[in-house]
């Protein structure tokens, strides 16, 4: 499958409709359990912003993060085989443009609902959303919507924050 | 030294401003559009790989986005002013980014020091723009300032964390020693003709020398709070 810019454009258009961070801390639904089972053998719910901070700052999450970063590199290489670097940058930058205010404002609202006013933590959340959406759109455009990055991005857009994978456990806020 | 009592309230009014004013305003907007993007590309985006945990990686990712957002602010203003797109994108314009971006960042500690020291330099530049006579540029500068302050605060916090260990303290001092000598050049040449023109029209308030001196004092203070020292400037 070549790089499909129209798929990225659809992800850009969908950013405004996402339920970013609306479900953080809540128990998993049955539908969510099905999605989570596809991503990891075990899923653990993170219940608070304080716990979320600790989970994100756990060095044991680094191997899985690094493996994902390696996969991003491979996906980019495949995209660059089908699209010029300037074109790829232009198409993918639209995600950053669209998400710039949306993700941070959504994180601020969700944190405020929990009584949290922490500009650093909400920026971390916004950065996670941006990275996840970027990876999801790239994976969908190169390999299709069943790639785990695309699944994770949909989970994020539904209101969750997949925080860290440590061994066989995915920690989800 | 401003000799002109002029205030340009809108981009539309700029068309009736003296040619020298228009050209000077364009130079400032181009410079900010180019350097905000280039900084994100050579420092913030690559720093994600160096960050020690997902928490810091996502925070760095967000900072990169905000720097990119600053570029977008100045770029959109430039578009309204009629500056060609290619004149505001590094790599497409012959205007070179600032020399500080030639620093070859190789570690997390170096990135944290870049946030500590380079973003403080940016704050001083933006503070000056917040007084400028071209109101649309003043407005964009004011919008940019809170994020610039957060980024510099990020540098303070991250360096403070690193300095809790002896190995980290040594690494941060080494990064300061490597980065700082090139920082004063960020403010441009002494007796700069461009700066003279900027001040003539109230687009800038201070000389390059005055901003540089202010910067060195502030940098010395913030580094001293970490229990570290500044090397001599280049």
């Amino acid at each position: 499958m070549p790089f499909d810019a129209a798929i990225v454009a659809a992800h850009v258009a969908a950013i405004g409709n996402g339920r970013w961070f609306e479900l953080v801390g809540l128990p998993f639904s049955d539908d969510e359990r099905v999605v989570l089972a596809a991503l990891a053998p075990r899923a653990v719910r993170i219940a608070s912003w304080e716990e979320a901070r600790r989970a994100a700052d756990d060095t044991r999450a680094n191997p899985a993060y690094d493996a994902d970063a390696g996969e991003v590199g491979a996906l980019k290489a495949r995209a660059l085989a089908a699209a010029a670097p300037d074109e790829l940058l232009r198409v993918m930058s639209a995600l950053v443009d669209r998400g710039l205010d949306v993700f941070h404002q959504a994180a601020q609202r969700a944190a405020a609902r929990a009584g949290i006013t922490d500009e650093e933590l909400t920026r971390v959340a916004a950065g996670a959303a941006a990275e996840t959406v970027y990876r999801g759109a790239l994976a969908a455009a190169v390999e299709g919507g069943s790639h785990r990055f695309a699944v994770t991005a949909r989970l994020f857009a539904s209101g969750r924050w997949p925080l860290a994978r440590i061994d066989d456990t995915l920690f989800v806020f | 030294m401003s000799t002109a009592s002029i205030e340009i309230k809108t981009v539309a009014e700029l068309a009736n401003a003296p040619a020298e004013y228009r050209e000077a305003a364009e130079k400032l907007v181009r410079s900010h559009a180019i350097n905000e993007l280039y900084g994100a590309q050579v420092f913030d985006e690559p720093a994600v790989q160096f960050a020690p945990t997902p928490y810091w990686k996502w925070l760095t990712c967000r900072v990169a986005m905000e720097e990119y957002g600053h570029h977008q602010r100045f770029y959109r203003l430039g578009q309204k002013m009629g500056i060609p797109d290619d004149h505001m994108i590094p790599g497409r314009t012959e205007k070179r980014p600032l020399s500080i971006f030639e620093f070859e960042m190789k570690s997390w500690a170096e990135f944290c020091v870049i946030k500590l020291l380079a973003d403080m330099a940016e704050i001083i530049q933006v503070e000056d723009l917040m007084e400028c006579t071209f109101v649309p540029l003043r407005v964009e500068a004011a919008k940019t300032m809170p994020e610039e302050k957060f980024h510099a605060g990020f540098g303070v916090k991250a360096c403070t964390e690193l300095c809790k260990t002896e190995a980290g303290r040594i690494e941060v001092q080494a990064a300061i020693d490597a980065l700082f000598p090139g920082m004063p050049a960020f403010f441009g040449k002494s007796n700069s003709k461009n700066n003279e023109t900027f001040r003539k029209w109230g687009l800038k308030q201070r000389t390059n020398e005055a901003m540089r001196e202010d910067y060195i004092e502030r940098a010395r203070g913030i580094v001293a709070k970490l229990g570290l020292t500044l090397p001599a400037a280049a």
Side-chain angles (χ1 to χ4, degrees):
Chain A
M1 178 178 173
F3 176 74
D4 190 340
I7 290 177
V8 179
H11 279 72
V12 174
I15 285 174
N17 302 324
R19 299 176 63 197
W20 312 104
F21 305 105
E22 287 184 13
L23 302 179
V24 293
L26 300 178
F28 298 140
S29 68
D30 291 343
D31 288 348
E32 284 176 325
R33 287 183 192 286
V34 172
V35 173
L36 292 168
L39 291 172
R42 186 166 166 262
V44 168
R45 176 171 66 102
I46 297 289
S48 71
W49 285 86
E50 290 82 359
E51 268 188 70
R53 178 200 295 275
R54 284 194 292 276
D57 209 14
D58 191 325
T59 55
R60 293 176 300 161
N62 287 349
Y65 185 96
D66 292 343
D68 282 352
E71 173 69 358
V72 172
L75 289 167
K76 271 190 186 166
R78 289 175 59 188
L80 285 168
D86 276 3
E87 175 65 2
L88 183 64
L89 180 65
R90 185 188 64 75
V91 169
M92 299 305 291
S93 292
L95 289 162
V96 180
D97 277 356
R98 186 68 185 96
L100 191 61
D101 292 331
V102 172
F103 299 143
H104 192 214
Q105 287 168 3
Q108 286 174 315
R109 281 194 300 273
R113 282 196 294 274
I116 304 285
T117 51
D118 181 334
E119 280 300 306
E120 183 177 291
L121 187 52
T122 53
R123 276 179 162 91
V124 170
E131 184 182 76
T132 305
V133 168
Y134 182 99
R135 289 175 172 185
L138 178 66
V142 171
E143 209 168 85
S146 59
H147 189 283
R148 73 174 191 279
F149 287 173
V151 175
T152 306
R154 287 197 293 274
L155 182 65
F156 219 127
S158 76
R160 292 290 181 182
W161 178 5
L163 274 162
R165 180 163 172 164
I166 299 174
D167 300 325
D168 67 350
T169 303
L170 181 63
F171 292 86
V172 180
F173 188 21
Chain B
M1 122 110 201
S2 176
T3 56
S5 58
I6 187 170
E7 184 172 81
I8 303 296
K9 293 189 176 63
T10 64
V11 171
E13 277 184 29
L14 189 63
N16 300 320
E20 189 180 50
Y21 186 100
R22 288 200 310 272
E23 285 166 18
E26 285 179 9
K27 271 186 189 171
L28 277 176
V29 171
R30 276 183 73 191
S31 174
H32 280 271
I34 290 168
N35 289 302
E36 291 283 5
L37 180 57
Y38 201 63
Q41 289 173 340
V42 299
F43 291 149
D44 301 274
E45 288 176 21
V48 174
Q49 66 182 305
F50 297 132
T53 62
Y55 182 92
W56 289 98
K57 287 176 188 293
W58 289 328
L59 186 54
T60 303
C61 179
R62 176 66 196 177
V63 168
M65 284 178 76
E66 289 177 352
E67 298 288 11
Y68 175 77
H70 298 172
H71 155 76
Q72 285 289 75
R73 279 191 190 129
F74 292 109
Y75 177 82
R76 287 180 185 133
L77 175 58
Q79 283 184 316
K80 288 180 194 163
M81 293 163 68
I83 301 173
D85 291 0
D86 283 352
H87 291 196
M88 297 185 284
I89 305 286
R92 290 194 212 160
T93 172
E94 59 194 29
K95 185 172 167 56
R96 288 171 58 82
L98 294 167
S99 59
I100 182 62
F101 298 126
E102 290 166 14
F103 180 80
E104 193 185 341
M105 181 184 72
K106 298 179 292 297
S107 70
W108 176 243
E110 286 180 345
F111 176 68
C112 296
V113 168
I114 286 166
K115 290 290 105 183
L116 180 82
L117 294 179
D119 282 53
M120 185 197 294
E122 183 64 16
I123 285 171
I124 289 173
Q125 294 278 13
V126 175
E127 277 173 356
D128 204 66
L129 284 186
M130 287 170 68
E131 307 282 326
C132 98
T133 54
F134 181 38
V135 175
L137 183 52
R138 195 194 296 173
V139 168
E140 298 308 326
K143 286 184 197 164
T144 300
M145 182 58 96
E147 288 173 352
E148 290 294 0
K149 285 186 173 169
F150 180 85
H151 299 170
F154 167 105
V156 172
K157 180 179 175 185
C159 286
T160 303
E161 287 291 317
L162 287 168
C163 286
K164 286 178 179 171
T165 68
E166 180 60 10
R169 201 184 67 77
I170 289 169
E171 210 182 352
V172 172
Q173 182 65 66
I176 291 169
D177 292 347
L179 180 76
F180 179 76
M183 281 307 307
F186 182 91
F187 295 93
K189 293 176 185 159
S190 299
N191 303 311
S192 152
K193 282 281 174 201
N194 274 339
N195 179 268
E196 191 177 314
T197 306
F198 295 147
R199 285 184 297 115
K200 171 183 171 183
W201 293 107
L203 288 161
K204 280 196 172 186
Q205 317 309 311
R206 297 203 284 173
T207 62
N208 291 346
E209 297 89 312
M211 285 198 283
R212 187 173 9 257
E213 283 171 23
D214 183 9
Y215 170 73
I216 291 170
E217 275 313 298
R218 292 199 211 181
R220 199 185 310 283
I222 199 76
V223 165
K225 280 185 184 168
L226 293 170
L228 304 175
T229 56
L230 278 186

